[in-house]
Amino acid sequence: MTTELSDRSQEALLTEGLTRRFGDVRAVEQLELSVRPGEIYGFLGRNGAGKTTTIRMMLGLIRPTAGRIRVFGVDVANDRERALQPIGCLVETATAYSSLTVGENLEIQRRLTGSPRESLERVITMFGLSEFVKRRAGKLSLGNKQRLALARALINRPRLLILDEPANALDPAGIVEIRTILRRFRDEEGISVFVSSHNLNEVAMLADRIGIIHRGRLVEELEMGGDEDTAVEIGVSDPRTAVRIIEEKLGLRAVETTATGTLVVRGGAAAAIAKAVVGEGVSLHLLRPMVNDLESRFLRITGGE
């Protein structure tokens, strides 16, 4: 018993019997999940399944009706400030002080989190915000607002990153870029990521493990293979050149052309495929994992068509 409790206290995020009701509506019911240190956990569900309510409870924004949440062993209800200290987050929509510049927004976040000055330049470079530093946040495109929100979430090098629909408003290249950044943080710094989405493709490409929530309950958890186990469909401006690049630069021979002109690449990492193709000047307008098994299972569980 002592060993089991000790092991569970090491989880980056742990919920036990987590429940939230709004009157007669059960938004979240007896939710039991955990995120391991250094893991990317995908939280998948249809709109209205309870994903955002769960995240708001994790961040102490609303109180659970029952159950509890622990972050690295610290109970959010009992010691909210200490529990939330190692967390970076992006919830629902990208927010910023619209009348302030990108640089001013990041400086405020740096001071609030007590982060060193060098962290400012690090996230500006990481998210490609250099040319927007003096631009007011309210004048940014939706995609760049999302980049700014993610930069703010990562400025303090959190141990746990909680993201709600982080790919909103990003184009395919931007989604690949964010995916690469999150994996790099996981691999190099051991950061844990809890990412909520209703986008199967996005989650399948990113997560080490997936939890499916339906009507407020966690109905299934799946261990995901790496990119090497996933076929990737890409749409490019020049398929013939793209095939040559993929074969020569990545050594992948399993490339098929579909009836619609897209390419299906097997045995390679999506991020590497996209980087190789775009790096040689070929435009990329589609990047999609072939997740038929996950899609079928998800639709069966959630009653979708």
Side-chain angles (χ1 to χ4, degrees):
M1 179 64 73
T2 302
T3 302
E4 180 181 348
L5 289 174
S6 176
D7 289 344
R8 298 194 76 182
S9 71
Q10 301 305 309
E11 302 284 14
L13 179 65
L14 179 69
T15 71
E16 298 173 299
L18 190 62
T19 299
R20 175 66 195 196
R21 297 187 181 93
F22 297 97
D24 295 331
V25 178
R26 299 182 179 184
V28 177
E29 186 73 17
Q30 292 293 316
L31 187 67
E32 305 263 347
L33 62 78
S34 65
V35 179
R36 304 160 186 160
E39 174 183 56
I40 299 178
Y41 187 100
F43 196 45
L44 191 63
R46 301 174 73 181
N47 289 333
K51 302 187 302 297
T52 298
T53 298
T54 298
I55 286 180
R56 292 177 68 82
M57 287 190 286
M58 289 174 174
L59 296 174
L61 299 175
I62 57 176
R63 288 183 175 274
T65 304
R68 65 176 180 171
I69 304 158
R70 288 188 285 179
V71 178
F72 294 104
V74 180
D75 192 295
V76 173
N78 293 339
D79 195 346
R80 182 176 183 271
E81 183 175 350
R82 189 160 70 96
L84 301 187
Q85 190 276 329
I87 293 178
C89 66
L90 169 58
V91 181
E92 293 188 283
T93 56
T95 57
Y97 299 105
S98 59
S99 62
L100 300 182
T101 67
V102 167
E104 289 167 341
N105 269 278
L106 290 172
E107 175 62 15
I108 288 173
Q109 190 70 12
R110 184 192 72 78
R111 293 185 182 186
L112 286 173
T113 58
S115 302
R117 289 190 177 275
E118 56 267 24
S119 62
L120 202 63
E121 189 59 39
R122 178 178 61 89
V123 294
I124 287 172
T125 301
M126 182 184 301
F127 289 97
L129 293 170
S130 298
E131 64 181 290
F132 306 109
V133 168
K134 296 184 178 180
R135 183 176 300 183
R136 289 187 179 183
K139 299 293 184 180
L140 295 175
S141 67
L142 288 175
N144 283 323
K145 284 180 180 177
Q146 197 76 353
R147 291 172 185 271
L148 173 58
L150 287 165
R152 292 175 65 196
L154 282 164
I155 200 167
N156 65 328
R157 291 185 180 270
R159 295 169 63 198
L160 171 64
L161 189 60
I162 297 179
L163 304 174
D164 190 9
E165 304 288 358
N168 275 351
L170 295 177
D171 59 24
I175 292 172
V176 172
E177 181 184 0
I178 297 304
R179 188 185 305 133
T180 301
I181 289 171
L182 293 179
R183 283 181 168 168
R184 191 175 82 200
F185 266 82
R186 176 198 63 187
D187 296 340
E188 295 179 3
E189 303 189 19
I191 189 173
S192 303
V193 182
F194 181 89
V195 54
S196 168
S197 180
H198 63 273
N199 188 316
L200 274 73
N201 291 341
E202 175 192 330
V203 173
M205 294 292 283
L206 178 64
D208 302 308
R209 194 157 52 104
I210 287 177
I212 298 176
I213 185 174
H214 182 53
R215 294 178 179 173
R217 292 182 177 272
L218 188 69
V219 290
E220 188 159 357
E221 283 191 325
L222 308 168
E223 296 282 349
M224 300 299 291
D227 279 321
E228 65 275 8
D229 301 319
T230 307
V232 180
E233 182 181 13
I234 64 172
V236 291
S237 58
D238 187 346
R240 182 174 297 181
T241 300
V243 170
R244 177 182 57 78
I245 293 168
I246 292 167
E247 290 181 347
E248 293 179 359
K249 292 193 169 292
L250 302 179
L252 301 174
R253 302 294 174 183
V255 183
E256 304 168 10
T257 303
T258 70
T260 59
T262 61
L263 303 176
V264 176
V265 186
R266 301 183 188 281
I273 293 168
K275 183 177 180 181
V277 171
V278 174
E280 293 294 317
V282 177
S283 298
L284 177 71
H285 57 81
L286 173 69
L287 181 71
R288 181 171 63 197
M290 308 295 283
V291 290
N292 290 338
D293 288 345
L294 175 59
E295 185 176 78
S296 298
R297 183 174 297 188
F298 176 80
L299 292 176
R300 186 182 70 250
I301 289 171
T302 61
E305 296 181 2

